[in-house]
Structure formats: structure tokens, C-alpha cells
């Protein structure tokens, strides 16, 4: 991928990050990238995997997650701070993307009790299998990996299949519906006090988009790397990774593998 394109996209993302409370337009972003609006939109999609508008929306929700855990601001003030005119719209989008309402997210310390895949009514019954290896550099202190199959490059909402692994290694996702998916992985370690390390220390991996046909089996390798500025943020709240790390290991070397527990 051209470094010229990446640099241009990153300039526009820095504009977004510095103006989350403002009503930015694609024209504003294109000017920061020094591209025409049409060219900018195509390049941004190519580099990040999503549109500029969707990326901006994800950044706003990511900032809201941080503010809910690090400040005493009320939900209404946070919604305005990240660019929403309606607290109702903010709350519904937050809940749909994160898996918890803003109040639940704050009360639970940003942790989900469990992540269940989409129910059969929401996706066609599947018989596909995605398996393979999650790899990380040998120096990476990753103790838990969450992975899920999502409809888009942004890890938000409920995946169609998911798993948690006690560190990098083999995995298997079964009952995968026919369709086009992204396999997104999120690797976390623990600090000296037993808490989760900051999000900035997390590692990320992506494979896709790829298509799974009826009863198709696919074997892949996903490499965990530090997040880049142009990687869409993780919106879905994580399960209790400490409990996962100390729980029962599965036959794949993880916990809750398959259509997750």
C-alpha cells in the first residue's frame, strides 16, 4: 500500500480525533488529506476497510467508552462531547456497537459477562468452519485473545461466531454461516497488579474480507500486531479476560471456542 495514501488518510484521522465534538464533513477530511472528495473517499476505504463516516462514528464511540470509565461526566454530557445532538441516538448506537448501554458499561467497568454470537433468527444457519493459528511475535506478552467473525472491518455488535483463547495458538470456529466475513482478533496482557494492560498495549489482527460457502472449511493465519492509526477501533466490550485466562482450556488451547460460551 502506498505510503502517500496512508499518510493522507492518517492526516484526516488526526483531524477527526481532534474534532470529535464538531460536525465534520467529508469535504473537511478530504482537505486534510489534500485529495479531492471523490478520490479521498476511495483511498480511505482502501486503507481502512470502512468509509470515512463510519470511521469517525467509531472514533466517537471509542472516546465515549474512555470517558465513561475515566471521568464522572454524565451520559448526556459525554454524548455532546463526542458530537451527538441527541442522547437517545447516542445511547442506542453505543448499545448496539458495544453490547452494553453507556450506564451498564460504566457500572461494569467496561467488561461483558459473556459474548454470545448472533442467534439463528439473525443469520442463516451455517455449517462452515474457519480454523487456523493466531500468531504473535515471541516477545509479545499476550495472555488472552478474543476473536470473532464480523460483517464489517469494525469489531462492533455481536459476531456470528466467536472464541476466546488463552494466548496465541490454534483456534476453530464452527457453524459459520455462508457469507462474507472479517476475522478480527484482539490480544491482551496483564499488568503487575493483575489488571488488563492499557488498550494502547493491545495487539490486533485481521483476516478478510473472505467468503465462506456452504459447508466450506477455511484455514488461516492471523498475526497480531500493534494497532496502527488507521486501524478501526475495537468497539465491542471485552469479556472478563482475567477469568478467561485462569479458566479451563479447550481442546484448541483456548476457552469458549466455537460459537462461544
Amino acid at each position: 500500500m502506498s505510503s502517500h495514501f496512508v499518510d493522507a488518510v492518517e492526516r484526516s484521522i488526526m483531524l477527526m480525533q481532534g474534532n470529535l465534538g464538531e460536525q465534520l464533513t467529508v469535504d473537511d477530511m478530504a482537505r486534510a488529506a489534500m485529495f479531492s472528495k471523490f478520490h479521498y473517499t476511495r483511498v480511505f476505504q482502501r486503507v481502512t476497510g470502512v468509509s470515512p463516516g463510519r470511521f469517525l462514528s467509531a472514533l466517537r464511540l471509542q472516546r465515549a467508552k474512555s470517558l465513561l470509565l475515566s471521568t464522572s461526566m454524565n451520559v448526556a454530557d459525554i454524548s455532546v462531547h463526542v458530537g451527538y445532538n441527541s442522547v437517545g441516538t447516542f445511547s442506542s448506537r453505543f448499545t448496539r456497537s458495544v453490547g452494553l448501554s453507556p450506564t451498564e458499561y460504566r457500572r461494569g467497568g467496561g467488561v461483558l459477562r459473556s459474548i454470545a454470537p448472533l442467534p439463528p433468527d439473525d443469520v442463516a444457519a451455517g455449517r462452515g468452519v474457519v480454523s487456523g493459528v493466531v500468531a504473535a511475535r515471541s516477545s509479545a506478552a499476550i495472555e488472552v485473545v478474543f476473536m470473532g467473525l464480523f460483517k464489517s472491518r469494525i469489531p462492533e455488535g455481536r459476531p456470528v461466531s466467536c472464541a476466546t483463547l488463552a494466548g496465541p495458538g490454534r483456534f476453530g470456529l464452527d457453524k459459520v454461516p455462508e457469507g462474507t466475513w472479517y476475522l478480527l482478533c484482539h490480544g491482551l496482557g496483564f499488568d503487575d497488579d493483575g489488571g488488563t494492560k492499557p488498550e494502547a498495549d493491545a495487539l490486533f489482527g485481521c483476516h478478510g474480507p473472505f467468503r465462506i460457502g456452504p459447508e466450506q472449511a477455511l484455514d488461516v493465519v492471523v498475526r497480531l500486531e500493534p494497532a496502527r492509526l488507521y486501524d478501526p477501533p475495537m468497539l465491542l466490550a471485552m469479556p472478563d479476560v482475567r477469568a478467561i485466562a485462569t479458566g479451563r482450556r479447550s481442546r484448541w488451547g483456548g476457552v469458549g471456542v466455537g460459537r462461544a460460551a
Side-chain angles (χ1 to χ4, degrees), residues 30-83:
R31 278 193 293 271
M34 294 185 286
F35 286 157
S36 70
K37 179 179 177 180
F38 175 73
H39 188 49
Y40 167 72
T41 301
R42 288 198 308 169
V43 168
F44 193 97
Q45 180 85 35
R46 177 181 173 187
V47 171
T48 68
V50 298
S51 70
R54 287 205 66 199
F55 199 100
L56 175 59
S57 179
L59 288 178
R60 285 174 166 155
L61 293 178
Q62 181 190 44
R63 179 69 59 82
K65 287 171 62 180
S66 175
L67 292 173
L68 284 165
L69 297 183
S70 63
T71 75
S72 59
M73 294 172 65
N74 62 44
V75 173
D77 288 343
I78 289 175
S79 69
V80 173
H81 188 81
V82 298

Side-chain angles (χ1 to χ4, degrees), residues 136-171:
R137 63 183 187 276
S138 59
S139 60
I142 297 299
E143 298 181 62
V144 170
V145 176
F146 168 76
M147 59 169 47
L149 287 174
F150 295 87
K151 296 178 181 179
S152 84
R153 180 65 179 78
I154 299 176
E156 62 180 339
R158 296 168 69 178
V160 297
S161 188
C162 57
T164 48
L165 309 177
R170 291 286 305 174
F171 72 90

